[in-house]
Structures are given as structure tokens and as C-alpha cells.
Amino acid sequence: MDIRVTGLTKSYGVSPALHGIDLEIKSGELLGLLGPSGSGKTTLLRIIAGLERPTTGTVFFGADDTAGLTVQERRVGFVFQHYALFRHMTVADNVAYGLRVRPRAKRPAEAEIVRRVAELLDLVQLGAFGQRYPSQLSGGQRQRVALARALAVEPKVLLLDEPFGALDAKVRKDLRSWLRTIHDKTGHTTIFVTHDQDEALELSDRIAVLEKGRIDQLGVPDEIYDHPATPFIFGFIGESSRVPVAISQGRILLDGTALPFNADGLPDGPASLFVRPHDVTPVEPGASSLNGLIVAQRRVGATRRLEVALGTQGTVVEVDTPSLRSSENNKPVGLKLLNAAVFAGNGEARYFRGAATEPVVVRPSAFQRA
Ligand code: ADP
Ligand code: MG
């Protein structure tokens, strides 16, 4: 089922939590709602669920305005970060709960309930755990039960609010690919809230990036990662360094030296250059490189991360090199930027690929703040 949100705002007292949200989620899509803490993710999810009323705006399920529908009538399935299971009930009874509390006329026969619960426990790979109690399960297993319970009522929409947020990193990663597999099997329209950009990038068909109650960008993971629409998103998604530069007549200047990128059409004035650590290569310092000093280094997984201070302001750029190559601190080094982006003072951006001088022109997106 398609979901369409139009002109949604929500104010608590004076401070608005959501400002004019417009969003369409396609039937069967897994949409990641990504944003820092306090950006309005939970508020948006609770309004879609019917747990909260919007101040203005409408939520459509298919062609239906949901304004008059209760939570039950909307048929949404929920999983929250701390969605406590009923502790005194077995796993199987927890999953069956939503069906057993239905009015008699809408309740499936008991044999049908038992069959459906077994099927769902198999789906979440807990087929042998039906008679256990929640306290006898790990955190990851409990969230899998919570998902089975949400699916039991055959929801039209699945809403997941940081469901893996309380689990440790390894379990979270396993559950990520597990959830994607389940989603592909069941095909529910799903909204997945997270503040973890890796989780959003790996799981989502599309990602909506929320900041301060607004959707700043909506796109497939590649678009969000390769062409972040705002400096905020560039900094929030993936790792990056920000270098203050100046634009003058289409040239990008760092301490008066022009970078090999063409910023034609961008207004003159102060601007920000963004670059990711794996998009920079250290080279012998020379006339064609950006030159700086290695000020620190550390091991990050399979690579070695150098901190290189550039220019008179000593702006630090992080650079990845192969882990085996240890470099001396305070040694001069040149940097070649493979990919980078520059944001002018008016928010317009240019994205540079493969050190080419021809920029990829991306129009300021409709989602970008005016
Ligand atoms: P997120 O889930 O992205 O962390 P929330 O939707 O929980 O963000 O909150 C968005 C903003 O709305 C925050 O500033 C928060 O303090 C505020 N807020 C959320 N719920 C309430 C409430 N019931 N009363 C007052 N303010 C609230
Ligand atoms: Mg939240």
C-alpha cells in the first residue's frame, strides 16, 4: 500500500517538531528515515501510525485520508527500540496476542492462530523458541519476536523505530541483513527509523534525511552518499573533512591557490569543500598537489588514517592510506583529491568526480531548504 504524507506539521507548544513534510512511500518499499536525535523521526512515525495527531497536514493510506481512522483501523505493525514483550507470556503467546484480542467476529480460529504463529516464528528463525519466555532470549532474539508479533496482524504498513538501537554492534549488523531478507520475502511497505547512516544505507530502497523537522533530501542510497544535497548531509552521511575555501570567478581557492576543479556558475565568496578520506590520495608534495603536514595518524580497520593540516589555517583533512604504510608525523605530504564537492554560500553545490575538471551539476534539490 502506498503512503502519502502532505503538508504535515506538528508543534508542541511553541517549537515545531515537524515543518511541512511531504513524502510518498511506494507500495512494498523499504524507506529509511534517517536523522540525528531530535530531528522528528519518531514524531513523524507516530503520526503515520495514528498515535499522534498532526497540527496540520494529511496522511493518506492508498486513496484514504487516515484522519478519521484509529490505530487499529490503520492496521500498522510496530517495533520500537524498547518494545517490551509481555514478560509473563511465552514467545508464541506474545506473537498470537494481536490476533487473540480481536473481537470474535474478526478473530481467526485458534488452530489458524497456532498455525500462523508457527509460520511467523519460522520466518524470524525462532521456530524452536515458541515455549520460551522473553527473559530466556537475547536482545536480538527479542526484537525478532517483536517483529513476528508486528507481522501477525497482517499489517498494511510496518513501522520500525530504531528497532536495533539497543543492541550491540555485531548483533545489529546481523539483524540488518536479516531484516532486508524478511522484507524481500514479505514485501510489506516499511518505514525504518534510524540515526545510524550505515544501517540506512545498507537497508533502504530510498532514504529520507531529516534535519530539524524537515526532509533535506530524499533519494536512493547512492544519491544520498554521492551527492549529499547540503553540507549537513555531507557531514552526517559517511566520513568527510570540511575545508573552508573561497570561490572567485569559477575558481576554488585555498589560501589563494586554485584547486583543479571548475566551479563556474557558483557565486563568489566563502565556500566549503568536502572530501571523504578514501577520496584523497597522499602523494609527493609538488606544484600540482595540495600540500600540508601530517599531524597525526591512527589505524582504522584495514587502513591507516592520516590527519593532514593544510594551509595557513591548518584545516585538518583526513586521508586513508594502506595500513602497512606508516608515515612520519610533521612530514610534508601532498594530497590529490579524487572526488570532492563544494558548497557555495547560497547552498548551491558542485560535485567533482575522479579529479575531472568538469563538474557534475546537480541542481539544488526540491528538498533543499530555501
Ligand atoms: P527523533 O525521534 O528524531 O529523536 P522526536 O520526534 O522524538 O525526534 O522529537 C522531535 C522534537 O520534538 C524534539 O525536539 C523533541 O524534544 C520534541 N518532542 C517530541 N515529543 C514531544 C512531546 N510529547 N512534547 C514536547 N516535545 C516533544
Ligand atoms: Mg526517536
Side-chain angles (χ1 to χ4, degrees), residues 6-19:
T6 60
L8 206 70
T9 63
K10 176 71 182 178
S11 300
Y12 294 107
V14 283
S15 60
L18 296 175
H19 305 256

Side-chain angles (χ1 to χ4, degrees), residues 240-244 275 293 295-296 298 306-311 313-319 335:
S240 60
S241 304
R242 177 182 164 275
V243 183
V275 63
L293 277 185
V295 290
R298 61 187 189 275
L306 306 181
E307 291 181 15
V308 176
L310 287 183
Q313 295 180 53
T315 306
V316 170
V317 173
E318 301 211 320
V319 182
L335 301 181

Side-chain angles (χ1 to χ4, degrees), residues 12 15-18 35-44 52 161-162 193 210:
Y12 294 107
S15 60
L18 296 175
S37 175
S39 56
K41 306 181 296 294
T42 295
T43 303
L44 178 55
E52 201 97 57
D161 192 354
E162 313 222 16
V193 165
L210 216 60

Side-chain angles (χ1 to χ4, degrees), residues 2-8 18-26 29-34 40-41 44-45 48 58-62 159 190-193 206-210 214-219 367:
D2 293 344
I3 301 172
R4 196 155 54 87
V5 170
T6 60
L8 206 70
L18 296 175
H19 305 256
I21 300 275
D22 294 301
L23 181 62
E24 282 192 46
I25 302 145
K26 294 171 220 149
E29 184 174 27
L30 199 165
L31 181 93
L33 202 55
L34 175 67
K41 306 181 296 294
L44 178 55
L45 213 63
I48 293 172
T58 314
V59 177
F60 292 95
F61 279 13
L159 303 176
T190 302
I191 306 179
F192 181 93
V193 165
R206 287 188 307 159
I207 298 173
V209 186
L210 216 60
R214 288 191 170 86
I215 293 177
D216 275 358
Q217 192 174 10
L218 175 68
F367 303 104

Side-chain angles (χ1 to χ4, degrees), residues 215-296:
I215 293 177
D216 275 358
Q217 192 174 10
L218 175 68
V220 299
D222 281 351
E223 284 167 14
I224 302 279
Y225 191 86
D226 293 334
H227 296 134
T230 66
F232 166 78
I233 298 175
F234 211 117
F236 187 63
I237 308 276
E239 295 181 293
S240 60
S241 304
R242 177 182 164 275
V243 183
V245 292
I247 295 175
S248 171
Q249 299 175 340
R251 296 185 311 156
I252 302 171
L253 304 173
L254 176 66
D255 285 341
T257 305
L259 302 186
F261 299 123
N262 172 352
D264 275 345
L266 291 186
D268 285 0
S272 296
L273 182 87
F274 283 84
V275 63
R276 301 197 188 281
H278 55 84
D279 285 335
V280 191
T281 308
V283 295
E284 284 301 319
S288 68
S289 58
L290 274 178
N291 301 319
L293 277 185
I294 299 173
V295 290

Side-chain angles (χ1 to χ4, degrees), residues 92-105:
D93 288 342
N94 265 283
V95 176
Y97 181 80
L99 296 171
R100 292 208 174 115
V101 296
R102 279 190 186 166
R104 187 172 286 281

